[in-house]
Amino acid sequence: MSVSVARVPTGSASRYLQQLAKHWSHKMTVTFSEEEGRIAFPNGSVLEMRADTATLDVILTVPEGRTRRGCARWWRATSTASPFARRR
């Protein structure tokens, strides 16, 4: 199993967590509250998010024998409306 962790400094962590969870809930299994969220990807990977007043913590767990590429594909395909989407 592979685990990647990111801590995003932001005063809007709860809002971003909820936006991402609602956005992805149309295509994946998602559970979330104002402080925590969990997104299950089709390849078996799981993205967990935790929000506090200053940061959004993001933890991606990828099963053994899988790659992050599948998650990256879903991220690119679904994150154009995300607050984290890159500007072109």
Side-chain angles (χ1 to χ4, degrees):
M1 165 182 359
S2 173
V3 178
S4 298
V5 179
R7 174 164 277 175
V8 181
T10 177
S12 302
S14 178
R15 182 171 62 109
Y16 292 155
L17 181 154
Q18 292 174 70
Q19 283 179 323
L20 288 168
K22 287 176 187 176
H23 182 72
W24 280 348
S25 68
H26 301 289
K27 299 204 180 222
M28 292 173 247
T29 304
V30 174
T31 56
F32 69 96
S33 67
E34 291 181 0
E35 297 87 24
E36 295 184 347
R38 183 180 189 278
I39 300 166
F41 287 86
N43 71 350
S45 298
V46 174
L47 181 75
E48 295 177 289
M49 300 178 286
R50 292 185 188 94
D52 62 29
T53 57
T55 60
L56 175 62
D57 294 334
V58 182
I59 301 105
L60 176 65
T61 304
V62 179
E64 191 68 36
R66 301 288 184 161
T67 67
R68 292 184 197 104
R69 283 187 213 149
C71 297
R73 180 176 51 84
W74 279 100
W75 176 267
R76 283 191 306 274
T78 62
S79 66
T80 55
S82 161
F84 302 114
R86 293 189 315 195
R87 303 281 183 227
R88 295 190 202 291

